[in-house]
Amino acid sequence: MRRAGCILGLVFIAPAAQAATLTIRAEGVASAQGMIYAGICDTSFDERTCPYRDREAARLGTVELRIRNVKPGSYSIAVFHDTNGNGKLDRNILGLPSEPYGFSNDVGRRGPPNFDAARIVVREPSTTIVIPVR
């Protein structure tokens, strides 16, 4: 019985798995139509490389998305305002976004977003990032 108590004691003193809450403040939302989507990506802006995603109903002004249990580390974040509710970022005939969007560190305003320039660090217990949506 003493041995079981020792093992149980080790379980209780083992460190908790590292996890953080990431709060994304999408600022400048121009309407309450549709949804705000966010992808928290670790290797590229390809949606398949975004281990964390969230969405929230659009509201005029600022929309906060809270993603819990994010493994601390470096990520790049993409946000877009799906104004027509079709679940994707619409593009014009030239392939440019026709719905409001933004990236961490406000990259991608004058050309394709640079993934490395968009990197932010998520730390425990929480990290907040502001992303202008234009």
Side-chain angles (χ1 to χ4, degrees):
M1 190 63 150
R2 183 169 170 84
R3 186 177 197 166
C6 289
I7 292 171
L8 206 56
L10 288 175
V11 170
F12 287 115
I13 62 170
Q18 292 183 335
T21 298
L22 173 62
T23 301
I24 300 168
R25 287 192 183 130
E27 292 188 343
V29 178
S31 79
Q33 292 180 305
M35 301 288 286
I36 302 296
Y37 286 85
I40 298 84
C41 310
D42 57 4
T43 58
S44 79
F45 282 123
D46 183 329
E47 187 177 355
R48 294 171 293 196
T49 71
C50 300
Y52 306 99
R53 295 181 208 129
D54 200 9
R55 68 180 181 186
E56 187 70 36
R59 286 182 299 285
L60 190 61
T62 299
V63 175
E64 279 195 1
L65 299 99
R66 272 195 186 80
I67 302 93
R68 290 172 174 49
N69 298 316
V70 175
K71 181 180 175 184
S74 97
Y75 301 93
S76 294
I77 302 171
V79 172
F80 76 94
H81 182 181
D82 178 21
T83 57
N84 62 7
N86 67 356
K88 64 180 184 172
L89 177 63
D90 293 325
R91 298 177 182 276
N92 64 21
I93 197 157
L94 299 174
L96 300 173
S98 59
E99 293 179 300
Y101 66 94
F103 297 96
S104 43
N105 296 329
D106 205 21
V107 302
R109 286 289 145 209
R110 302 202 188 280
N114 179 298
F115 185 80
D116 289 326
R119 284 196 179 274
I120 57 105
V121 176
V122 174
R123 293 186 170 91
E124 289 184 295
S126 64
T127 299
T128 299
I129 183 85
V130 175
I131 298 180
V133 178
R134 301 177 251 209

